Amino acid sequence: MFTALRLLFKIVLGFVVLSLVWVGAYAIVPVPFTMTMMGDLVGGHSVTKDWTPLSRIDPDMARAAIAGEDARFCSHHGFDWRAIAGAAAHNAEGRRIRGGSTISQQTAKNAFLFQGGGYLRKALEAWFTLLIETIWGKQRIMEVYLNIAETGIGTYGAEAAAQRYFHHSAATLTPVEAARIAAVLPLPKKREAVAPTGFVRRRGNQIARYVGIVRRSGLDSCLR
């Protein structure tokens, strides 16, 4: 029993050290690749990405992400308990499954883990979310998120999305363009930001209206 406990302690300690080094490295260097990107390659798709500093991405892209994905991004510490409780109540009613993940949680999952559910993945996601909130801070979290979030089949990040859908840099996105990219984020393999119809058009228009509210209300204050 003592030998087993000692081995378990070494495994846990090794994981903690490795994860701290990993998160610390990504605080400085661009995230080179993710498990989601690997899945695209295995599935026969190419991967298009172009790492771009947050300072060279139009601020309305971050505002659109906040409006569409995580309105309390600047005020929570990684977890939005109200959103989580609301999603749990919504799902308990048997309606269409809705998540309560914050941008921080999504970034932790995208950068360090794999897609899909399961308690182990959720536990690891929570651990990495705590680490990036502590080590990176909000600006770096948003920068990584806007560079590795899937924005279409084989397309990752705001810059690649802007080039794919609108044929110009993410530095010059309009609020409507940024909102359309944000509308794609929940289901990037099934939605297109260019000439959208149905839900994507409605959701994109809704997010575009909220972009101004995010700016005026200071909901993006941690990024300025």
Side-chain angles (χ1 to χ4, degrees), residues 66-214:
I66 290 172
E69 296 290 300
D70 186 2
R72 287 182 280 273
F73 173 70
C74 283
S75 59
H76 65 61
H77 298 289
F79 307 93
D80 186 342
W81 300 111
R82 281 186 288 177
I84 292 172
H90 175 93
N91 299 338
E93 294 174 0
R95 297 152 70 184
R96 184 169 62 89
I97 298 297
R98 185 175 71 189
S101 294
T102 63
I103 286 174
S104 300
Q105 289 173 274
Q106 293 177 49
T107 303
K109 177 186 67 177
N110 291 340
F112 302 103
L113 303 169
F114 46 88
Q115 302 296 323
Y119 292 113
L120 175 60
R121 211 283 335 264
K122 282 294 185 183
L124 292 173
E125 179 185 296
W127 168 246
F128 280 107
T129 298
L130 289 172
L131 290 185
I132 66 175
E133 281 279 340
T134 302
I135 297 173
W136 291 3
K138 295 293 187 180
Q139 290 189 11
R140 181 60 174 178
I141 290 172
M142 181 61 75
E143 181 173 67
V144 173
Y145 178 72
L146 292 181
N147 274 282
I148 66 172
E150 190 177 11
T151 49
I153 297 177
T155 304
Y156 291 84
E159 179 63 30
Q163 295 289 351
R164 171 178 175 173
Y165 298 124
F166 309 117
H167 310 293
H168 63 74
S169 168
T172 56
L173 286 169
T174 68
V176 170
E177 290 170 343
R180 287 182 176 177
I181 293 174
V184 168
L185 288 172
L187 289 171
K189 294 192 186 301
K190 297 182 178 180
R191 298 174 181 173
E192 289 279 344
V194 63
T197 59
F199 174 82
V200 177
R201 177 177 290 276
R202 293 193 301 273
R203 182 59 174 159
N205 290 340
Q206 182 184 50
I207 293 174
R209 292 193 296 271
Y210 289 161
V211 165
I213 296 174
V214 170

